[in-house]
Amino acid sequence: MYRLGIDLGGTKIECAVLEPNGRVLVRERVPTEAEKGVSHILGNIKKIIDKVTTCVPSPFSIGIGTPGSISMKTGLLRNSNTQCLNGQPLKELLEDELKQDVQVENDANCFALAEATYGAGRDYGVVLGVILGTGCGAGIVVDRKIHTGINKIAGEFGHHTVSFQNGRPCWCGSKGCVETYVSGSGIEAQYLRKTGNQDNAKNILSSSCEEAYNLKQEFYEVLGVSLGNVCNILDPEIIVMGGGLSNYDPLYAEVRKQMQKYTFSDTFNTAFVKNRLGDSSGVIGAAILPACL
Ligand SMILES: [Zn+2]
């Protein structure tokens, strides 16, 4: 069966069709145009699917990756940065629009699934995929199946607390979440607070000024402690990094040292690597969702 995946981002919608052997047949992207509202986004998804499936034999499956997750309590999307979609029954709306079943999953879970199936984690059984971008998320894949957990929060790496008393406030309402220290937005916000200057996280991590240096050391340490915490609980065979900050190469050696320090073991055989599928991972993970949930 051909498999169609959609990566529903805040600024672009990406679509790919995989052949039965996993090869990408076609890939397209269109702007999300989230400011025009929910119906417009659904229409854009329908249009891109119609465009890429002209030569695809039916039936084909559809999987969709999105920031946020579908609440188990209400069935409505929550915590998406495409804010007009929050509070919407996204799965039902998509199924009405597309006239077929769709699987909807968190985008970090899709990233982890793609890397565990076709990317850096393909030879490993327990894979943690971490996205360090504007925000911070993760997904857990065991034997090529997403582990979502009983509350559907497995892999919510960005919102576990590393400093509960004096931690930085997080948009989620908690304090000291990992995301406020290691994500692009967290680093940029703290740099602005400390220096009064605005800059992007990549520049800040590469800068030699004292405040930037201190933030970089904190980035290494918090990421190392938090991944060490995950190792103590999940003990993944491999941690695959994605998102814009995963391209900052010095992090691999520096964070590995910290992680090892905070892991409760006298061995540390966990592989810690950059992703292999680049920005295709989201859409590939979405495409293979229906077979892997
Ligand atoms: Zn938080």
Side-chain angles (χ1 to χ4, degrees), residues 105-121:
E105 190 50 73
N106 172 266
D107 55 356
N109 285 352
C110 292
F111 163 77
L113 179 62
E115 286 295 326
T117 308
Y118 296 117

Side-chain angles (χ1 to χ4, degrees), residues 158-160 170-175 177-180:
H159 299 278
H160 85 269
C170 182
W171 64 265
C172 75
S174 187
K175 273 200 306 190
C177 291
V178 173
E179 180 168 299
T180 64

